[in-house]
Amino acid sequence: MADNPLRVVIRVCVTDIPGNKLARATRLAHDFSEQVRRRPFNNNLNAECHDSEHLLPNFDSDNAVRAWFLFDFDVKGPLTKGEVLALPHEVYHASRQGDAWVFIPRERWIDSARKYCSMYKWGANHLQQ
């Protein structure tokens, strides 16, 4: 795993994510990491460097709603809100085409996503202080 901290935000229709609705964030994280980052998603929190998923509203909806998913890659420890804002951010719109994902980069969404997602602690499921 590289030491390139990155925050990724993905917008997707929740019912496009296969499997158990409570495991959607994990499934999307693993699929995205394998397909786009070309490496496994490492959610072993005991590892010196790991990846993290955040559970944002509507991820577990029974309805075909669009929701945001937030992932932190290459987490080595806590960062301040300012440090998180300074990190590279990538934003994607995702959809399923049969059994395959299509991840479309949305650069124009980066500034909004960076500001909104800065309330979430780096590498954790808690709000920033």
Side-chain angles (χ1 to χ4, degrees):
M1 187 173 307
D3 185 16
N4 299 309
L6 172 68
R7 180 160 268 188
V8 172
V9 185
I10 301 174
R11 180 89 164 158
V12 63
C13 179
V14 298
T15 55
D16 281 355
I17 304 170
N20 183 312
K21 69 179 185 175
L22 297 178
R24 287 176 177 157
T26 301
R27 173 67 189 262
L28 186 60
H30 284 272
D31 290 352
F32 174 83
S33 191
E34 290 284 344
Q35 185 174 328
V36 177
R37 305 218 59 222
R38 305 218 185 281
R39 69 161 180 82
F41 187 81
N42 177 15
N43 57 353
N44 176 359
L45 300 179
N46 293 318
E48 179 182 333
C49 184
H50 65 274
D51 305 320
S52 180
E53 61 193 60
H54 298 260
L55 300 178
L56 275 59
N58 296 321
F59 83 96
D60 59 349
S61 177
D62 290 323
N63 301 316
V65 299
R66 298 198 185 287
W68 294 101
F69 288 79
L70 174 61
F71 308 107
D72 296 332
F73 289 91
D74 297 337
V75 175
K76 283 193 163 185
L79 298 176
T80 66
K81 185 175 181 176
E83 291 170 325
V84 172
L85 283 167
L87 288 176
H89 283 58
E90 294 178 1
V91 181
Y92 296 84
H93 179 265
S95 63
R96 295 283 284 187
Q97 302 290 322
D99 289 338
W101 282 109
V102 175
F103 293 100
I104 302 168
R106 296 291 191 205
E107 291 184 21
R108 65 182 177 184
W109 295 352
I110 290 176
D111 288 338
S112 301
R114 182 185 309 263
K115 289 175 188 163
Y116 175 76
C117 292
S118 71
M119 76 172 83
Y120 294 95
K121 284 187 180 181
W122 173 247
N125 276 329
H126 306 288
L127 297 179
Q128 286 278 24
Q129 299 297 325

